[in-house]
Amino acid sequence: MDKLSELLIRNTLTARIFHNGTFCGSTAFVDDAQGSQLHVVQSGTVSFEHDDETAIVASVPTLLFYPRGMTHRLNVVSESAVLLCAQICFEGGNDNLLARALPAVIAIPLEGASFLNRTLALMFDEAAVQQSGGAIILNSLCNVLIAQIIRHLFDHNELVPGLLAGLADIRVSRALHLIHGAPAQPWRVDSLAMEAGMSRSKFAHHFRAVVGVTPALYLTRWRMIVAQGLLKSGLAVGAVGAAVGYASQPAFTRAFNETTGASPRRWLGLQKAGESKPAPARHRT
């Protein structure tokens, strides 16, 4: 399995389309630290305005993706526009490593992007019919779309320091592959450096420069991603801790709480309670 596929399988997401059709006026989206937003401009002119006073104006069919749900205002400049808007939630919200690795906003003109257009056409059609099974189909299509967006970033050298940049770096990717494949192993900087073909000091410096965190912190965060998936599958807390490399349940609970801000049981309860949460806060003006 290639590294991007391995990464996406570990980072599950859910999606919900909350607008598909003609729109006029403006809407504000607030960063709730939980979900990201996807906007697809089919026709019309739309300005996406940010708190730092920057703006992206889409006057041709364009896809915009805010992986960490950055606060922004969607303002239709033309008389009206045809839009598809969706909430996409990475597991763990803004703390998800994949979400953190992506640029704050991704804008891709759709002219000539045949791979994206084919997937989007299926999404538009599925959202329009609203038949049984539509939710799981849209989730699957959104997973495909996110994979295609990331592939686009790779192909156009638009990576930022972080996980994706690490996967694109030959030496760092070797270490990431080991961590991803066996998170329970007691990986040390010197053993990872050996696999990367570098000295310990050079590897530690290079890893942090590319990924943005130390190897030890990355290992902990990756273990928590794996742990979250195991918790949601129904595995007991103690068994989850052992599966991701912790010798005792208290040690695992402590690390989980430091990473996510909640104990494993509380985090799981919050996830279950939030399964029916509404779309991200937005205000029509």
Side-chain angles (χ1 to χ4, degrees), residues 266-277:
R266 175 168 169 73
W267 177 89
L268 187 59
L270 291 172
Q271 295 299 304
K272 291 179 178 178
E275 286 177 353
S276 58
K277 285 179 66 177

Side-chain angles (χ1 to χ4, degrees), residues 47-57 70-73:
S47 176
F48 296 86
E49 301 161 0
H50 310 132
D51 285 350
D52 62 0
E53 298 186 354
T54 61
I56 297 173
V57 178
M70 184 172 73
T71 296
H72 63 284
R73 176 175 290 276

Side-chain angles (χ1 to χ4, degrees), residues 37 62 90 93 101 121 124 176 235-236:
Q37 291 92 45
T62 303
F90 289 97
F124 285 126
L176 293 179
L235 202 62

Side-chain angles (χ1 to χ4, degrees), residues 8 13-17 38 40 63 84 86-88 115-129 133-149:
L8 291 169
L13 58 86
T14 58
R16 184 169 74 85
I17 292 176
L38 172 74
V40 181
L63 177 151
L84 180 144
Q87 177 192 33
I88 297 178
F115 56 96
L116 285 172
N117 283 313
R118 286 194 292 269
T119 303
L120 288 169
L122 291 172
M123 289 178 65
F124 285 126
D125 290 344
E126 188 59 40
V129 297
I136 191 168
I137 292 173
L138 284 172
N139 269 348
S140 298
L141 289 172
C142 278
N143 273 278
V144 172
L145 185 67
I146 297 304
Q148 291 174 334
I149 291 172

